[in-house]
Each structure stands twice: as structure tokens, then as C-alpha cells.
Amino acid sequence: MGLLSDPYRRRALSRLILRLNTPLCILSYLAGLGWFLGLASLPFTLRSYMSENAMGSTMVEEQFVFGERALSYAREFAGHKKKVGGIPVAWLEKTMWNLGLEVYKQPFSRTLPFPDEMRERYMVKGTNVYGILRAPRAASTESLVLSVPCSTGQHNNQAVGLMLALASYFRGQIYWAKDIIFLVNEHDLIGMEAWLEAYHDVNVTEVLSSGMLGRAGAIQAAVSLELSSDVITSFDVAVEGLNGQLPNLDLVNLFYAFCQKNGLLCTIQGKLQRTDWDTLPAYVHSLQTLLLMVLKQGSGRPQGDHGLFLRYHIEAITVRGINSFRQYKYDMGTVGKTLEGMFRKLNNLLERLHQSYFFYLLPSLARFVSIGVYMPAFGFLILILVLKALDLWMKLSKCDAGPEEQLCDGDQGAVHAAAEESRPGLLTLVPPLLICHATGLTLYFLPVLGQHMATQHFPVSESEAVVLTVIAIYVAGLALPHNTHRVLTGCGSERGWMTLKLLSLLYLAMLLGCIALINFSLGFLLAVTMVPVAAIVQPKGPKYLYAVLLVLVTPAVTLLLSIVLYQELIEYPVSALECWQLFLQAVSEGLLDHYLYGSIVFPFIALFVYPCWLLLWNVLFWK
Amino acid sequence: MAAPLVLGILVAVTVRAVLYRSSLAGFISERVEVASPLNAWKRVVEGLALLDLGVSPYSGDVFHETPLIIYLFHFLIEYSELVFMITDVLTAVALYLAVQDFNKVVFKKQKLLMELDQYASDVAELIRTPMEMHYIPLKVALFYLLNPYTVMSCVAKSTCAINNTVIAFFILTTIKGSTLLSAIFLALATYQSLYPLTLFAPALLYLLQRQFIPVKLKSKGFWLYTTQYAALYLCSLMVIVCLSFFLLNSWDFIPSVYGFILSVPDLTPNIGLFWYFFAEMFEHFSLFFVCVFQINVFFYTIPLAVKLKEHPIFFLFVQLAIISIFKSYPTVGDVALYMAFLPLWSHLYRFLRNIFILSCVLIACSLLFPVLWHLWIYAGSANSNFYYAITLTFNVGQILLISDYFYAFLRREYYLTHGLYLTRKDGTEAMLVLK
């Protein structure tokens, strides 16, 4: 407290902030960026370990031997799927029934807000089929889920086969203390959302489904399996869920532990970890893995069918079998053993997974970065905004007090804000704030509401109309300052833009702070781009340079650059045209994610970040 | 002057009416920051249902409002939205009138002191002018009406709004100098939420000052008036309590309302300091710590009364803030009441040290409350420590804000008597340092 109440020290501190503002900001930015890049290196990461007692100390012996049966189920399923041209409900019901499961089906339907061109769907109708294996050792109070998406074409047939084989094997065992639900969901995430909503008897999105007849207990954990080949070379795990939510790290550890035990290769973000930890190429490799995770998490999209479970407080991961050109292949038996081991350990759980971390970044499967370690990187970036805001505040206070008026007791608290001066100053800020937020609201509501009108007047399809409207409104926002400065007459002073900038910096800091808690990656990606330019932007000096910089850091361009970076990282570079296609696709997917599953990225950008950015644009063109 | 107030009231009522009709109303009324176990509307409805069934509303462990409130809503349940809007407007108008009157008093006192030559010679810029004081009542009223905290608490139909109205009327009657009404409203406020008991001291000091009775322990007039005021207060309190007894024909409400406030059995998270501590604590220590925590509200009254003997309304403001920080089930509605008084002290602005940082902290905390609540309760990825950290920051921010105002007030008084430009013995410029 001495620092805040002692006027001498305060004066020294405020002088420090005023004089060294720019160097401090630069230092802070470099520190933030450096810290983030350092996260992939050894000193910042911890070796992952199992925190949950019930899963750590007990041993299980896997005895799954139905590998061949899995393949025959898969072939049979493929045949029936082809015949029906969708999910073979009757066959699945019959097969599961014969295995001794309680079988239920759940029809659902959902009309999308606008047609999804990539997956070619608009009015979706489908059926989920699931069988419940009742636990012989306990009342049905808790359950586990093994889910498999029933995709179009030849995909995931082996996954269904393996699931059925596992079900038949599990049926014969006596040690189950939790019900196990074997779920085949149609139309991937839409089906999954319908099933989860019906299971929990809620309706948070507009999906229509019949009520659910059979339930097991509260779901403790879920594994979603994707497998499209008879043999696999490695397993890939996807952890990022809706809005960047992550499952408890113990579940990932569990997967990793069993892959180790069975000698399976396992990857995350499609990257195999390297054994040499302290070399430069290894560091670059784990940095790439980390960046991929940040980009995927930042998108707020579920990276697999598990992503929707997390919202219901259920820990879940997606496991994908990969068949690449490696020499050594694993058959269904090994894959089944791995899954069996995971389920047996989950079966041992005494309480929900809660011991380990929920906020982490993974530079590889064996090591992780916890929230306490990665948050400072973000903190340094926010510090820039705070420093700049303090600087502006002190300057504003000074020009209030006037140069000749000596401060009565020396500290900067002696601010003489005459009511007549400050009131119009504050009132002039209202129109830009209102206009920017109105633009944000338009950006949020108009594209989907106005799609029919757009298709009537322009030769475009609905989904094109939506995406193009979004882009049009976004770009039209740039023209705003030229309109607002006419509304504001007589505010042409230094104070005006400084106050507006102060306001927008604080606004940005609070937005980024809030989103970084929910989705660190999104917050960090926005911060690392927007913060430096937000700090330097002003209506004086090289205006056009600032304008170019500001356009370069707008969320839309950040999205474009993220797509380029992502494509580079997965070693699948794209040309400019393809990149543009991907960008359009990403915009429409972002909207769909919001309307279908309740992702918050699009409303957050449209209603808050974009208006905040427009405020900065207003600062730049203040007259 | 009345026209802007009417305009402000219209805007405020429109905002509330729109919010009542929107889908946000349900969300807001579920927020723990807005509705505490004491004043949540859901619980009032539950109490009413029990009453209609002929069961004592206190028989469950849900309803903790006072009998008068439940009988009020027994008749007005159909118009509850209207009632809450009207209480808010009444509070604002009462505050407006009170501050208007208080400004006159302040101005008169300042004139008197200037004529008596009590002020130093170079304090011209500290002297308050009618020009700057003209808009203060309006600002106070609008600060209350348009404060998002008030709006949310009104939309959630938290009965906190009614407590605020009672306290506002108490302040109005005190400033108008009516001993009887002041005592009655103080008794009502005490009856409603117990803690306003501590407002007895500032009100007494103000009334004494108004009657030109010196605060001396030896003077007879002082004791006479104090006894009179205390007797009025206690009598009205007794009447109200007995009335409640006759309404329900049982004393059930005493443990259920005041016992509930004092012993803090409900540990639902809120913006206060109690819940986390008592959730963590072993049962057999809790009595001791409940006492320690509750003393906080009452303890500061004595030193503040000594220090701010001459400035009872500022004392009242600080005491209101202390209540809203340290009470057992605080909500943002309580915070809104003392925040409405901030414009009244706008002349202290030049002496405030950390107002910028503190307002940023308070706003950031208000935004982080729902975010961390979401992470803790819905996403399940954060835990109670995250939420409590923000609660703690919010309260520390409030405490620092109040101490900032307190210190600024004392400093201004010091400058008024000693001159603005202090010099040391060796002739250089001196500075006041808080140690």
C-alpha cells in the first residue's frame, strides 16, 4: 500500500510510466511473445502424470481377442449401410439385441439456418441407435459411452465393427460397475447434439427429437472412435471441444498410457513426438504441435464428436485410427485391447475425473503446459493495454489541470475536471459507441435473416448469400468514421480521441481478459495481433501506415492468416485462391457452429471484438 | 430541474420494462450476484404459496423475508413488476430531494464558516459554488436509476430494492430533520435487514447538528435528545415487530430472518466474503468466526463516529458502503445504493488517488463474475477458488474505493483549515503523507 499512498513514490511511478511507456510496451510485447514461444521448450513443460488414484494404481489385464469378429461385423455393416443408403437401423438393432444389449433408437430432425454446402445438408433427418450394457455389479447410476459416428461412404465402418465386437466381449465380463452405452450417431455432431440433449432432457439448440426411452446413469466419461481401415499404423487423439473446452488431462493421460502399454504409436495433432527433447528440431516440432493446438482450440470448433460431451460436464476424447505408409501395422486385436483397457480403468473410477488439469496446452502427448505457466504470456500482452491506458489517463488529467496550474500536493490526484469541460467530452463518445455496436448487431443478425432477400435479388445460393453478406457488412463498417464525424460537431480536440482511445483500450483489455479465461487460444490469437496496433494507433503521424496495420489485425484477417498458418503447419500449403475458398468456408462454418451447437466465437467477434476494433478505427480517423 | 429527472425516470422505467419482457429476465434473476437467499424473488413466491396454503411461510428453509414484505406482496403479487419499478423511482426521488436539501445545508455551513473566517486564505478553489452543486441531485438520482446494478436487481425483483427505498426515505427524513419519521424509517430499515442498525449513529449526529446541540458527553441536551431519538427508534421497532407477530401469530420469523442473517447458514456463493470461508471451515470453529466476521459491520461505526463527528452524511455514506461490503448476503443492489452517493462527493475528485484503477478493477470484476461462474458451474473446468478470487478482488476494490474517498475527504478538510499550499519549516513545498 505504501506504493499507492506515498506521494513521492507515486510520482516516481507515474513518471516512470509516462517516460518509459513505449519501451515498456515493446518489452512487454516481446516478453509475452517470447514466453508463448518458449512454452514448447523443456523448462516450461511438465511431464504428464496420472493424478486420479483410481486409475493410477490399479492394474488391468486386457484379453480382447475378437479382432477378426470386428472385421466381419464391419463388412456386414458396410453391406447393410450400402443397401439402406444410410444408417442400417434395423440391422444395428438386431445385432445389438443379439449381443444382449438393451437397444433403443432415437430419431431426430434439424433444419439448418442456411444450407451447409460443404456437407450438402439443409434439412437433416436421422436416427441414432444405441445399446446399453447393464452393469452386473452396480445399480445403473453411472455410465460410460463409446460412440461411433456413422458417416457417409466407406468411412468408419471398421469403427462400428470394433464397437460391436467390444460390446460382445464386454457382455461376457462380470466386472462392470458402470453401464456402458454403445452409440452409433448419424450426421456426426448434429446427431450427437440431439442424443445428448435427449439424454439430459434439455433443449438448448433447436434440434427436434423424440424423447429418450432408455437411459443409463450419469455419464462419467466418453470415448468417440473413428476408424476407417482394417489395420492402423497409429492412433491420433483429438481433445479440443466446443468453445475450446478441454477434457480433464487424466483422460488424455489414460489414452497415452494404454498406447504405451500396447506399443501403439500415438500422435496428437497428427504429430508424433520426438524422443530427443533438448535439440532445436525437437523444439520446433513441439512448437508446431502446440501452435496447431492453439489454432484448433482458438477456432472454438469441436475437433471430433467428443466435443459436445464436454458441455455436459462429461470428459471425452476422440480417438482416430490412422493408416499411413509406415511399415509396422497393428490389427484390430491391439486396437480393441487399448480401448478395453481404457474402459476398464474408467470403470474403476470412484468419482468424476477432477483431479488433473482442465486448462492446459499440449506440445506433445507426454508433456503439458498448465494454466499457471501459459497465462503470463497473455498477461504480458494485456499489460501493454493497461500501460497505454494509464499513460493516456495521466495525459488527460494533465491537460485538464492545465500547464500553469501547479499541482497542490504534487501527486497526480490533483485533477481539476471542470464539469463544463468534461461533460461534452463524454457525450461525444456516445455516437461512435452506439454506431459501432449497431454495426456489430447488424453483422450478427442480418446475414441469416436477410438470406432470402439476398437470394431473390442476386444470383447466389443461400449459403453464399450469408457469407457474402457477412463480408459486405464487415467491410462497410470501415466507412463509418466518415459518417460519424459529421454527427459529432465541435469535438475536434486532442481530448476527444484520447478519451475514445482510452475507452477502447480498456474495452479491448476486458474483452480479451474474459475470453482468455474461457478459451485461452482465442484470446491469445486476438491479443497477439490486435494489442500492439491498438496501442500505437492515433490520428496523428503516418495515418495510412496505421490504417494498413489496423486492417491487417482485424479479426477477419487474423482468421485468414490463421488458415494460412494452419495449412503450413499440417504441411499442406494452399494457393491464394484455395485459401480464399477456405476462408469463406470457415466463415460459414463459424456461423453454423454458432447456430447448431452454440459456439460463442461468432457472436463474440460480431458483437464485441468487431465494434471494439471499429472504435479504434474511429480513433484513427478522428477529426 | 424536474424535467431532466422525469426524463431520466422515463428512460429508467423503459429500460426495466423492456428487460422484464426480454429473455434476459430469467437469466438475471438466477444470477447469484443479484439475488441472495434473503431477497430472491423465487423465495418470496415460495413463501406466498406457503402462506396461501395456510402453512407458516417460515416452516421450510426457503423463505427468509420479513412478514411485512410477504403481506405486501400478498396483495400486490399481480403487480410485482410495477411495485419494483415504483420502489426504484421512489428511491431515486427520495435521494434527489435529500441531496437537494443537503446541498443547501452544506452551502449555508460553508458561508457561515467563511464569515467566521475559519478557512485559510488561499483555498478559494476548494470552495464549492452553487454552479457545480446545481446538478448534483440529478446526478445522484440518475446514478441510482441507471446504474446497471440497480437495473439488474430490479429486473431480478430482488427485494433489496425495497430495502434501498426504506433507507433512502430514512436519509430523506433525516436530512429534512424530522426526528420521528427518521426513527420510524430507521426502525423499518433495521427490521428489513438488521444491518442499518449502524446508521443510528450518523443519523443521530446529523439531527443533533441540525438542532445545534453540541456533541458533548457532559451536556444535558445531548443526552436528552439521544434518549428521545433512541426511544422513538426502539418503540417503532417494537411496534413493527409486534405487528409482524400479530400478522403471523408466531415468532417464527425472528430466527428465520435475523438468525439467518447473523448465523449465515446458507453458503450459496455471492459477492460477499462469508460463503467461501464458512464452506471451508470446520463446524466447531464457525461460531467464533461468524462473530468475527459480523463484528466487522458494527465495529467501524465507533472510530468513524469519532472521526467524522462533524460530517454525519459522509459518515452515513461510508457506513452504507461498509454494510454492503461486510454484510452476510450482499448483492449488487446494496452496492448500487452507496454508489449513488458518489456524485455527491464529486468535489473530492481532485484528491482521489486511485479512482481510475479502482473503477477499472470494479468494472472488470463485474464482468468476470459471470465468466468465472460459467467456468465453474457449467463448464466444470474452473472451481470455486476462481470465483472467490474475483469476489475478493471486488471487495478489496470496494474497500480501497471507500478508503480513497475517506482519505480525500479528510485531506480536503485539512486543506480548508490549513491552506492549500503547505510549506515546511524551511520554506519548501510540503506534502501530506498517509502513514
Side-chain angles (χ1 to χ4, degrees), chain B residues 3 72 74 85 91 122 137 152 181 204 301-302 386 391:
Chain B
L72 173 73
H74 189 65
M85 287 201 254
T91 315
D122 56 348
M152 285 204 293
L181 283 177
L204 179 67
T301 316
I302 302 157
F386 286 62
T391 313

Side-chain angles (χ1 to χ4, degrees), chain A residues 513-534:
Chain A
C514 285
I515 201 67
L517 281 172
I518 296 174
N519 185 345
F520 167 78
S521 300
L522 180 60
F524 186 81
L525 285 175
L526 288 175
V528 86
T529 49
M530 282 180 87
V531 165
V533 182

Side-chain angles (χ1 to χ4, degrees), chain B residues 301-345:
Chain B
T301 316
I302 302 157
L304 282 175
V306 174
K307 190 76 203 173
L308 294 173
K309 200 166 63 179
E310 300 295 316
H311 311 285
I313 296 299
F314 188 74
F315 177 20
L316 186 91
F317 159 72
V318 174
Q319 190 61 47
L320 273 178
I322 286 174
I323 290 176
S324 86
I325 295 167
F326 291 112
K327 73 189 286 190
S328 45
Y329 304 101
T331 57
V332 290
D334 300 306
V335 179
L337 182 64
Y338 84 80
M339 281 199 169
F341 282 94
L342 294 183
L344 185 55
W345 317 113

